Amino acid sequence: EADAGEYTCDTGDQQTTAAVLVKALPVLFKHWLKNEEVEEGRTAMLHCELTKPNAPVEWRKGDMVLQPSDKYEIRQEGTRVELIIYDAGAQDA
């Protein structure tokens, strides 16, 4: 963290120094993913909300890490993260 480090109070005759350590809070879910049912050929959207804005996230289907493509759009704005699945088919269940 940018604010971590040593700080000194100096009177000119004396000084005292202390170290500040900033512990990062874990990223938690404020709103969890919910099950989604969508008709074949339609667009499905999954979204959740985190406790920290712009935290790095990874979307997976099973063990496969999803990458942005014509099929998947990944959005992240502040604490909200979304996965959009276009043209949903049986293989997307």
Side-chain angles (χ1 to χ4, degrees):
E1 295 285 338
D3 295 319
E6 284 198 347
Y7 290 82
T8 301
C9 183
D10 193 331
T11 66
D13 295 321
Q14 284 189 315
Q15 63 182 29
T16 179
T17 301
V20 173
L21 176 65
V22 179
K23 292 167 71 174
L25 292 171
V27 179
L28 303 172
F29 289 103
K30 278 202 311 201
H31 297 288
W32 297 71
L33 291 176
K34 291 191 171 94
N35 292 340
E36 178 80 5
E37 192 171 305
V38 64
E39 290 179 359
E40 191 174 24
R42 300 287 187 144
T43 298
M45 187 177 85
L46 297 171
H47 68 273
C48 57
E49 194 167 344
L50 309 172
T51 54
K52 260 185 162 175
N54 304 312
V57 299
E58 182 177 83
W59 285 94
R60 290 192 301 269
K61 179 180 185 257
D63 293 333
M64 182 179 73
V65 176
L66 303 179
Q67 302 294 337
S69 64
D70 290 344
K71 183 71 168 170
Y72 302 111
E73 183 179 348
I74 296 170
R75 293 181 188 164
Q76 188 164 359
E77 191 174 314
T79 57
R80 184 180 169 92
V81 289
E82 298 176 340
L83 173 68
I84 299 160
I85 305 165
Y86 293 106
D87 191 24
Q91 76 279 8
D92 298 311

